Amino acid sequence: MRRSHQHETAVDFLRQLQHRDAVPDRLRTALTMAAEEYRWARRRPADRYDPPLSSADAAIYSSHERMHARIRDQVRNDSSLKGIRNTITDKVVGSGIRTFADPLELLIKLPAQAELIDSLETALEMDHVHREWWESTQVDIEGRLAGPDLERLGMHEQASVGDTLFLICQDNSPGRVVPFCLQAIERDQLDCSKDRPSDGSNNRIVNGIELDAHNRPVAYHLFDAHPGDSFVSFQAYGTSRPVPANRVIHAFMFSRPSQSVGVSWFDAIGQDCFDGDGLVSTELQSAKKAALLAFYVKRAQAASNNNLGLDDPYDVLDAYGNEQIKMGATTLAVELGLEDDLGVVETHRPNTDVPRFLNYIDQRKAAGTPLSYYSVTGDFVRTNYTGFKGALINEDAAILPLQSWYGRHISLPIRRRFNAQAIALGRVSRISPREYREQRKRFDYFDMIGPGRELLDPGREDDAITGQLRTGRTTLKIQCAKRGLHWIDVLRQLALESHVCQILGVTLDYSKGNGGQIAANSQAADATELLENILGAIA
């Protein structure tokens, strides 16, 4: 296999690099350009298709700085790419991936009634304490974001630059549920100037992350502030410090085994974004020019004064001596000879083929994301129920694993850290620290529920789900999770509503069977009986 001399030089440099700060800026720039492997980061198209065979870390190292800067710019200014990022966040995280205590899951045998009630009440208290913290700004060390907001911010960063980074902090201010809190960190705060290979006595550092012999993170070399922040002192971003790995929650999607950091989820659609933007810009400029009246005059013989004969005192000449006339309110009365010719410039814009090309580009964009074409474009003109449902099924097949991945790497670690601290500080009265240590696996077991999706045809799909439930091919837990609901919460609410209905003398007929008090009179109690029931309940 033939390899370019440029690539060999860059790889040798990356392998031998001990202290990046010691390398002259011009040499570092030249070597980085030689190794730019992601299209988002290339300065110009390659002269020939001869890509280098590099590790994932080497490819990301050579490209991430310029690529991520361009992607952040595109997300700010390109409505299409911004929409894709927001839609991915909506579908993966939504208003937050919720976690629910489920101490019943690990019980070997079915619990007796007393044990069941005790477990449910314990789970209810654990969820209540967590919700009090999670839905407040106590989650954020800066006091600006609640838990769901931090999750969405983390997903924004994940899609844009490939890494979600949270620093674990402690705030002992009075009035807090627990001291545990988080701080969101941008990928750019990793100090890549610390990168070095392992020399036997020192761990290797790749893209600012120090790794041991088993490729496990030991420390993250972080700037105290973003290197591009002009509102902080030089000391904040001029020097970095190692932060122990157990203080950092770091999540990224592996695409290769030789990868230690993430890469933008938009890495493969950069050219499509550029092409679409360039096509639209060109057509807009052409359409603007086409909206103007431009004409030309061909004369059989040159006029002695080189003049078109228009009465315009503001006429000027171009660089070649040709007369230029502003066509605002000027009357068009050109003096023509018998053999002269007057023509109008027509650009035939806008091009009728533009929508077809843009659809093709949008299809390519969608192919490089976990989204369907309909989610990327919002265009439902040429679709039908069957096609749209098929597209959503394929989209769910891509989104559900992402929800599970994000929950495992972000939501669950945060919930378990909170849980340990809340129980240790006595915030959960039904579990002692000793019980937690002895049954930690049970009390650290949580269900994750991501955002659900509403039914396209509720009547038809409800009938299908009911049939599956009756024949044992699905469960209430599975079906509730698909709608973004927790099955125990649903049953609690149904029990509460049924209890209130009994007190007030109201019957709700959910369905034939056990959905309500079917044997009771379906008519509501009259006003006197209803008032007596309410007064009795209050008493």
Side-chain angles (χ1 to χ4, degrees):
M1 180 181 293
R2 184 178 60 185
R3 302 178 70 187
S4 66
H5 174 69
Q6 258 190 337
H7 170 64
E8 291 175 353
T9 303
V11 171
D12 289 343
F13 168 73
L14 294 173
R15 288 175 176 170
Q16 299 172 7
L17 183 61
Q18 295 289 339
H19 298 288
R20 189 179 174 192
D21 289 338
V23 181
D25 289 340
R26 284 185 297 175
L27 176 60
R28 185 188 309 125
T29 301
L31 293 172
T32 301
M33 286 176 60
E36 287 167 0
E37 300 191 32
Y38 286 91
R39 183 170 290 181
W40 271 106
R42 292 178 185 166
R43 292 177 183 268
R44 52 186 170 78
D47 295 331
R48 59 184 179 180
Y49 188 65
D50 189 16
L53 184 62
S54 302
S55 71
D57 279 334
I60 295 171
Y61 175 92
S62 68
S63 303
H64 77 87
E65 188 171 352
R66 181 175 296 110
M67 177 171 65
H68 292 166
R70 287 177 174 175
I71 288 176
R72 290 193 187 280
D73 177 75
Q74 287 290 304
V75 169
R76 283 193 300 267
N77 299 301
D78 185 326
S79 58
S80 174
L81 195 61
K82 185 173 185 177
I84 292 174
R85 186 203 64 175
N86 291 345
T87 302
I88 290 175
T89 300
D90 291 340
K91 291 183 175 291
V92 175
V93 176
S95 58
I97 294 181
R98 296 178 296 165
T99 55
F100 296 90
D102 192 358
L104 300 174
E105 185 71 25
L106 301 180
L107 294 179
I108 298 176
K109 61 180 181 179
L110 292 176
Q113 181 175 350
E115 186 180 5
L116 174 62
I117 293 175
D118 179 71
S119 296
L120 290 176
E121 289 179 350
T122 300
L124 179 62
E125 184 184 15
M126 293 170 67
D127 290 343
H128 175 75
V129 174
H130 174 258
R131 190 179 299 113
E132 181 183 356
W133 174 77
W134 184 245
E135 295 181 355
S136 73
T137 56
Q138 292 185 24
V139 178
D140 182 12
I141 185 65
E142 299 175 5
R144 298 188 297 176
L145 302 174
D149 304 326
L150 273 179
E151 279 192 330
R152 287 187 63 85
L153 179 61
M155 193 65 236
H156 280 338
E157 285 293 288
Q158 184 64 223
S160 297
V161 297
D163 293 271
T164 300
L165 288 162
F166 290 123
L167 183 64
I168 296 172
C169 307
Q170 297 288 320
D171 183 356
N172 295 311
S173 302
R176 293 180 56 86
V177 178
V178 294
F180 171 53
C181 53
L182 302 164
Q183 182 180 19
I185 297 175
E186 293 197 11
R187 163 72 174 81
D188 311 313
Q189 288 179 238
L190 285 171
D191 185 1
C192 295
S193 70
K194 301 293 185 182
D195 289 4
R196 69 189 181 200
S198 174
D199 59 6
S201 58
N202 294 310
N203 292 320
R204 69 190 185 107
I205 303 177
V206 180
N207 290 301
I209 304 175
E210 186 173 344
L211 306 168
D212 65 12
H214 298 286
N215 214 35
R216 293 175 298 202
V218 175
Y220 290 77
H221 293 262
L222 298 171
F223 293 112
D224 289 339
H226 192 285
D229 192 347
S230 58
F231 296 95
V232 297
S233 63
F234 172 77
Q235 287 77 13
Y237 61 82
T239 57
S240 62
R241 55 192 174 91
V243 177
N246 61 6
R247 281 201 60 203
V248 178
I249 295 176
H250 178 208
F252 65 93
M253 292 289 292
F254 274 95
S255 58
R256 296 178 60 183
S258 56
Q259 191 172 344
S260 302
V261 291
V263 68
S264 173
W265 292 14
F266 308 136
D267 55 351
I269 65 173
Q271 189 62 49
D272 298 308
C273 291
F274 290 146
D275 290 344
D277 190 55
L279 177 61
V280 172
S281 297
T282 300
E283 286 300 316
L284 285 175
Q285 292 299 323
S286 299
K288 288 179 181 179
K289 294 175 181 177
L292 303 175
L293 175 62
F295 68 93
Y296 59 88
V297 176
K298 292 182 179 180
R299 295 190 182 278
Q301 296 180 351
S304 59
N305 59 356
N306 196 28
N307 192 289
L308 293 178
L310 297 178
D311 184 16
D312 185 356
Y314 302 103
D315 292 351
V316 295
L317 302 180
D318 65 12
Y320 302 98
N322 298 311
E323 186 179 4
Q324 294 178 322
I325 302 97
K326 294 181 180 180
M327 295 299 297
T330 302
T331 301
L332 180 59
V334 182
E335 297 178 359
L336 298 175
L338 294 176
E339 298 181 2
D340 293 344
D341 182 32
L342 173 67
V344 178
V345 178
E346 297 182 4
T347 60
H348 304 288
R349 285 297 190 272
N351 192 329
T352 56
D353 289 330
V354 168
R356 182 168 59 87
F357 282 116
L358 288 178
N359 286 337
Y360 172 70
I361 291 173
D362 288 337
Q363 289 171 1
R364 287 175 55 89
K365 286 182 184 178
T369 72
L371 304 176
S372 67
Y373 169 81
Y374 304 108
S375 294
V376 168
T377 63
D379 180 11
F380 301 95
V381 175
R382 292 178 299 276
T383 187
N384 53 48
Y385 173 81
T386 303
F388 183 51
K389 184 176 181 180
L392 287 186
I393 290 174
N394 290 336
E395 185 175 274
D396 286 346
I399 292 296
L400 291 177
L402 294 178
Q403 289 180 347
S404 179
W405 168 83
Y406 195 86
R408 288 195 308 271
H409 291 274
I410 300 294
S411 307
L412 277 182
I414 293 174
R415 177 69 194 264
R416 285 172 177 154
R417 284 178 179 271
F418 169 86
N419 203 42
Q421 197 168 99
I423 293 174
L425 295 175
R427 299 293 187 265
V428 181
S429 61
R430 300 183 64 86
I431 307 174
S432 68
R434 180 177 179 179
E435 289 176 316
Y436 177 71
R437 287 195 302 270
E438 294 174 351
Q439 303 182 63
R440 184 164 187 169
K441 186 176 181 181
R442 177 188 175 192
F443 294 122
D444 270 353
Y445 191 90
F446 301 96
D447 286 334
M448 298 182 300
I449 306 293
R453 179 170 62 82
E454 293 300 322
L455 303 178
L456 294 180
D457 187 343
R460 188 188 308 176
E461 295 182 60
D462 273 340
D463 290 341
I465 293 171
T466 301
Q468 293 174 6
L469 286 168
R470 287 173 175 169
T471 55
R473 289 181 293 161
T474 189
T475 66
L476 179 64
K477 182 176 182 177
I478 293 173
Q479 294 303 322
C480 286
K482 288 182 177 180
R483 307 281 82 78
L485 304 171
H486 190 244
W487 70 286
I488 295 181
D489 264 8
V490 171
L491 291 178
R492 283 174 180 156
Q493 185 62 31
L494 288 173
L496 175 61
E497 292 180 7
S498 179
H499 183 60
V500 173
C501 286
Q502 289 178 359
I503 294 175
L504 300 180
V506 176
T507 298
L508 297 177
D509 185 1
Y510 301 133
S511 65
K512 293 182 179 180
N514 299 320
Q517 304 84 10
I518 299 304
N521 186 351
S522 61
Q523 298 297 324
D526 59 27
T528 303
E529 292 176 344
L530 181 60
L531 179 59
E532 289 176 353
N533 288 331
I534 294 175
L535 292 176
I538 295 175

